[in-house]
Amino acid sequence: MPKTELDSATPAAQLRRKIETRSARVGIIGLGYVGLPLGLLFSEEKFPVTGFDIDASKVEKLNSGASYIHHIPSTEIQAAGKRGFRATADYAQLAQADAIIICVPTPLDEYREPDLSYIELTTEAIAPHLQAGQLVILESTTYPGTTEEVLVKILESKNPRGLKAARHEAAPANSFFVAFSPEREDPGNQSVARRDIPKVVGGMDKASSELASLLYSSIFNRTVVVSSPAVAEMTKLLENIYRCVNIALVNELKLLCLRMGINIWEVIEAASTKPFGFHPFYPGPGLGGHCIPVDPFYLSWKAKEYDFQTRFIELAGEVNANMPYHVVQAVSGALNQHKKAMNGSRILMLGVAYKKDVDDLRESPALTIIELLRQQGAEVSYNDPYFPFVGRGRRYDLQMHSTPLEKIPEFDCVLIVTDHSDYDYPAIVRQAKLVVDSRNATRGIDSPKVVRC
Ligand SMILES: NC(=O)c1ccc[n+]([C@@H]2O[C@H](COP(=O)([O-])OP(=O)(O)OC[C@H]3O[C@@H](n4cnc5c(N)ncnc54)[C@H](O)[C@@H]3O)[C@@H](O)[C@H]2O)c1
């Protein structure tokens, strides 16, 4: 038999052809901020897509054509539905998939250690349905080694057909392919199209890398293939640790600048004019979101296995974790200037989302600040156009409704925690008795009522 025919008969060649002809069936597990947009992108490119989620309400909403993510309009879900996109909680349907992409959460547990339970449970649920020739890609952010030590180990030990991950060119025909490819979305950032964000891919072997790269090439303009899943895992962590450490640096410098009477934002703006060697980071009321406050600790935990202390990560964590306390102290000082005690004061917090223009509350510093203000006897209300109501989450139970901005004059202090673009800051300053601004949202407004912290 000629070599080309032999090649075309391999599982890798078959999957390659399916990807090229857009007939490869894509299964996305975890339809959250990462998984849902990813599934929609594949659907737009005419791939048959099935989404899997254990949250029955999400499955029901998607199948009825509704969205639950602010920046994804329901019309996009409906359009995908017309192209055959369906959501389900039935893992048995994974047997029909050609590529399975895992986008489940990777939080920290109560001891601030990696909680891999979502990845483990998902992998255990995939294993009984695993097929030879399938491509399994992990996208969840995690420590280097997870793909090989956790995902592959579970898939190999728990699939009933004795299938093994392809590890070299001469892999047997009953192999499956595995890769890690980190998600790089920046929620709320409209300046870079998702398609223009290069996609890093690291497969267990060359064929796995090539297949994952080919699949992602249909929705991203550029893929960057690295030599292993561990390199891809570490790449994502480096990106997030870089942000975390630099944010801590400006947070610390802000505290010094406040003491010295220097405006840190003016300093950053001036430094940003340097055309090389400087990238601006901005201080704030504390870290938030799923990634920056969480991911670095995946690495510091793993480093301990190698008897290694990741000191930059620990120090950055310490500085950033202190910022909500600094904000509360600033509110207390500002009230004091107005001859008011924190105890009994009415405070309106503007913005509870972890950053501007997103409907995401995860790890938001606002939650810590509310708790700290209440501990000191303040009466706290909030306004956030993205959250008409805040109920119960993993670490909070607020049951609060957003207060209309017309009520600003009734409050002793307005505290800006999230600088949403929709707010009319000059009007807010005009109506408020006192404004404490942790984001420099009131820049350019010269008023004795404003305290920048
Ligand atoms: N949100 C971001 O901006 C972002 C950016 C880069 C990387 N990441 C990483 O991507 C991963 C997913 O993050 P996200 O923001 O999409 O999380 P998310 O909480 O928005 O979504 C996760 C989804 O997975 C579902 N899920 C949980 N366990 C499941 C299971 N066993 N089977 C099927 N579905 C399950 C949940 O119901 C939820 O819908 C995380 O590792 C995160 O660190 C997120």
Side-chain angles (χ1 to χ4, degrees), residues 107-115 287 289 291-302 304 314 317-318 321 363 394-395:
L108 295 172
D109 67 14
E110 60 201 284
Y111 305 107
R112 299 198 67 73
E113 291 185 352
D115 174 2
L287 291 184
C291 298
I292 311 296
V294 172
D295 302 346
F297 296 101
Y298 268 68
L299 188 62
S300 51
W301 177 84
K302 185 68 177 172
K304 291 193 187 112
E314 298 301 335
E318 197 183 307
E363 312 288 330
R394 250 160 51 94
R395 292 202 194 104

Side-chain angles (χ1 to χ4, degrees), residues 9-59:
T10 64
Q14 285 167 9
L15 181 51
R16 192 175 303 133
R17 221 176 8 259
K18 283 185 182 175
I19 295 171
E20 282 164 354
T21 56
R22 305 286 201 259
S23 60
R25 284 158 299 194
V26 179
I28 308 275
I29 306 184
L31 301 171
Y33 289 94
V34 169
L36 182 57
L38 186 69
L40 294 176
L41 279 180
F42 278 115
S43 169
E44 272 168 33
E45 287 301 324
K46 313 281 185 289
F47 283 88
V49 180
T50 305
F52 296 79
D53 205 293
I54 46 168
D55 184 336
S57 70
K58 286 186 176 168
V59 169

Side-chain angles (χ1 to χ4, degrees), residues 33 71 183-197 243 279 354-359 386 421:
Y33 289 94
H71 64 272
E183 166 56 48
R184 280 173 154 172
E185 203 201 355
D186 182 15
N189 183 344
Q190 310 285 350
S191 66
V192 189
R194 191 112 193 264
R195 185 174 264 286
D196 289 330
I197 303 173
R243 281 188 64 71
H279 182 84
Y354 82 86
K355 71 171 187 177
K356 73 176 190 180
D357 305 337
V358 299
D359 59 339
Y386 292 85
S421 308

Side-chain angles (χ1 to χ4, degrees), residues 123-377:
T123 314
E124 279 165 14
I126 297 170
H129 312 289
L130 190 69
Q131 306 292 320
Q134 277 182 330
L135 169 63
V136 182
I137 304 173
L138 180 61
E139 284 218 6
S140 305
T141 309
T142 183
Y143 58 77
T146 309
T147 304
E148 222 169 324
E149 295 161 15
V150 179
L151 181 109
V152 170
K153 195 170 158 200
I154 296 174
L155 287 180
E156 287 187 336
S157 63
K158 300 216 165 156
N159 83 78
R161 298 175 189 84
L163 307 176
K164 297 285 175 210
R167 287 184 169 81
H168 44 75
E169 260 179 65
N174 68 341
S175 304
F176 57 95
F177 304 102
V178 176
F180 181 84
S181 179
E183 166 56 48
R184 280 173 154 172
E185 203 201 355
D186 182 15
N189 183 344
Q190 310 285 350
S191 66
V192 189
R194 191 112 193 264
R195 185 174 264 286
D196 289 330
I197 303 173
K199 192 84 170 107
V200 173
V201 170
M204 288 282 290
D205 69 337
K206 197 162 164 258
S208 303
S209 289
E210 278 175 10
L211 288 167
S213 170
L214 184 67
L215 182 67
Y216 284 122
S217 299
S218 40
I219 55 169
F220 292 102
N221 289 334
R222 186 176 161 217
T223 61
V224 180
V225 175
V226 295
S227 59
S228 67
V231 170
E233 288 160 337
M234 190 65 153
T235 303
K236 172 72 186 175
L237 290 182
L238 170 62
E239 291 166 11
N240 283 354
I241 291 164
Y242 169 77
R243 281 188 64 71
C244 178
V245 167
N246 280 288
I247 291 169
L249 175 67
V250 287
N251 274 334
E252 188 174 76
L253 292 184
K254 175 178 84 167
L255 299 185
L256 174 64
C257 282
L258 279 169
R259 226 176 257 194
M260 296 175 78
I262 296 170
N263 183 333
I264 182 77
W265 284 280
E266 194 186 344
V267 173
I268 297 169
E269 209 180 310
S272 301
T273 59
K274 187 178 176 187
F276 45 84
F278 183 82
H279 182 84
F281 289 86
Y282 298 95
L287 291 184
H290 189 293
C291 298
I292 311 296
V294 172
D295 302 346
F297 296 101
Y298 268 68
L299 188 62
S300 51
W301 177 84
K302 185 68 177 172
K304 291 193 187 112
E305 195 182 305
Y306 294 83
D307 204 7
F308 191 95
Q309 296 293 322
T310 49
R311 285 175 292 165
F312 272 101
I313 295 174
E314 298 301 335
L315 180 60
E318 197 183 307
V319 172
N320 290 328
N322 183 48
M323 296 317 290
Y325 293 84
H326 159 73
V327 171
V328 171
Q329 214 172 15
V331 172
S332 176
L335 284 168
N336 190 45
Q337 288 289 321
H338 281 227
K339 302 197 180 345
K340 289 218 164 77
M342 179 78 99
N343 197 347
S345 281
R346 298 193 65 202
I347 294 168
L348 179 65
M349 179 181 284
L350 294 192
V352 285
Y354 82 86
K355 71 171 187 177
K356 73 176 190 180
D357 305 337
V358 299
D359 59 339
D360 194 342
L361 204 60
R362 289 178 292 178
E363 312 288 330
S364 174
L367 300 166
T368 310
I369 294 171
I370 290 175
E371 200 181 314
L372 294 174
L373 290 170
R374 283 182 169 169
Q375 276 170 13
Q376 296 197 24

